[in-house]
């Protein structure tokens, strides 16, 4: 841990380390990102509480993330991983890194501030994108279809189709009405639920485009909040 008695002393110690691996222009960028993280905007929620809004930070990171997504898409073009795949994953990794960094202290209190946000982001990007790529590159023997047996000709005779009974369908309809009328949902969450209900097979990116979100991580966070609030309706 870097020990310091003031902000300037801490910054000088960190700059000494940054100078060993970054160019002067990169160090300037590092502190620009740090400043945007240390001084975020705030948005007011419906209940009156304040929520940190990193829109200026994400706008500044967008160019870097786009370039990384382009490079990896070209590098792994034969693996059928697209630019959109990498862009979405890099945004997910970015938000995970920011949430992790939020818990590690700050430069104002000199607690837990050994590394800058950019250093943390680069560490997350480097390690987690490798895990993502590995998770997508399945060989034939790891593919679930490789060991799946085909259905026998008389399968339907022994396992007939069982469509929903009228009473069961009625219960489902009532549950759907409860979901949309849940008072804990915000207007954005209720709108997202409508989009998901009308387009159940689409991806987070496609839902986000219908909603008008700027990047996929925004819709992912709304989706996770929606899923958490509606988990009480799950029968499992």
């Amino acid at each position: 841990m870097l020990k310091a008695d003031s902000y300037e002393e801490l910054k000088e110690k960190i700059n000494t380390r940054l100078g060993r691996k970054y160019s002067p222009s990169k160090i300037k960028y590092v502190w620009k990102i740090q400043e945007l993280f240390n001084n975020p905007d705030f948005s007011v929620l419906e209940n009156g509480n304040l929520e940190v809004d990193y829109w200026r930070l994400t706008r500044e990171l967008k160019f870097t993330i786009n370039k990384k997504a382009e490079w990896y898409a070209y590098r792994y073009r034969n693996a059928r991983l697209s630019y959109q795949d990498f862009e979405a994953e890099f945004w997910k990794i970015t938000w995970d890194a920011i949430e992790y960094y939020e818990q590690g202290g700050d430069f104002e209190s000199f607690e837990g501030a050994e590394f800058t946000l950019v250093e943390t982001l680069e560490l997350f990007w480097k390690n987690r994108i490798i895990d993502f790529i590995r998770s997508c590159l399945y060989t034939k023997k790891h593919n679930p279809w490789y060991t799946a047996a085909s259905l026998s000709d008389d399968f339907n005779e022994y396992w007939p189709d069982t469509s929903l009974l009228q009473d069961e369908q009625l219960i489902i309809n009532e549950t759907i009405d409860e979901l949309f009328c849940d008072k804990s949902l915000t207007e954005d969450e209720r709108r997202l639920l409508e989009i998901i209900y009308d387009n159940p097979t689409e991806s987070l990116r496609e839902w986000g485009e219908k909603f008008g979100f700027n990047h996929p991580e925004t819709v992912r966070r709304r989706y996770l909040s929606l899923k958490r609030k509606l988990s009480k309706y799950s029968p499992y």
Side-chain angles (χ1 to χ4, degrees), residues 46 181-186 189-190 229-230 232-233:
E46 292 184 355
C181 295
D182 192 296
K183 294 183 179 180
S184 68
L185 300 183
T186 65
E189 289 169 344
R190 189 171 286 105
K229 290 181 179 180
L230 299 183
K232 59 187 175 184
Y233 295 101

Side-chain angles (χ1 to χ4, degrees), residues 1-15:
M1 183 62 63
L2 299 176
K3 300 297 183 180
D5 297 322
S6 67
Y7 177 82
E8 291 304 323
E9 183 180 348
L10 176 62
K11 188 172 180 179
E12 182 179 347
K13 289 178 179 292
I14 293 176
N15 272 328

Side-chain angles (χ1 to χ4, degrees), residues 47-171:
N47 59 11
N49 293 334
L50 294 178
E51 181 180 52
V52 176
D53 189 343
Y54 290 121
W55 73 271
R56 289 187 300 152
L57 174 62
T58 54
R59 183 181 62 182
E60 192 66 34
L61 292 172
K62 183 177 176 60
F63 177 80
T64 299
I65 290 176
N66 288 351
K67 288 301 179 182
K68 285 183 175 294
E70 288 177 4
W71 187 89
Y72 275 92
Y74 176 79
R75 172 68 176 79
Y76 291 94
R77 60 192 182 282
N78 294 330
R80 297 184 180 180
L81 289 173
S82 67
Y83 164 82
Q84 288 76 16
D85 293 328
F86 282 109
E87 182 195 23
E89 188 63 23
F90 270 117
W91 276 116
K92 179 180 181 299
I93 295 171
T94 297
W95 282 108
D96 286 345
I98 290 174
E99 290 177 1
Y100 170 84
Y101 194 78
E102 286 176 330
Q103 302 170 12
D106 58 70
F107 289 134
E108 301 299 327
S109 62
F110 316 128
E111 296 178 357
E114 183 176 2
F115 297 99
T116 63
L117 177 59
V118 168
E119 291 173 288
T120 302
L121 284 168
E122 290 185 343
L123 185 63
F124 269 66
W125 287 335
K126 178 181 178 181
N127 294 332
R128 296 202 178 185
I129 202 65
I130 293 175
D131 292 337
F132 168 71
I133 294 169
R134 287 174 177 170
S135 71
C136 297
L137 299 181
Y138 297 109
T139 59
K140 184 178 179 182
K141 74 174 185 177
H142 291 123
N143 192 313
W145 292 110
Y146 181 69
T147 56
S150 59
L151 296 177
S152 60
D153 295 335
D154 57 354
F155 176 83
N156 288 330
E157 179 181 348
Y158 294 98
W159 299 92
D161 179 29
T162 54
S163 300
L164 289 172
L165 299 177
Q166 185 175 0
D167 290 344
E168 292 175 319
Q169 185 63 57
L170 182 60
I171 293 174

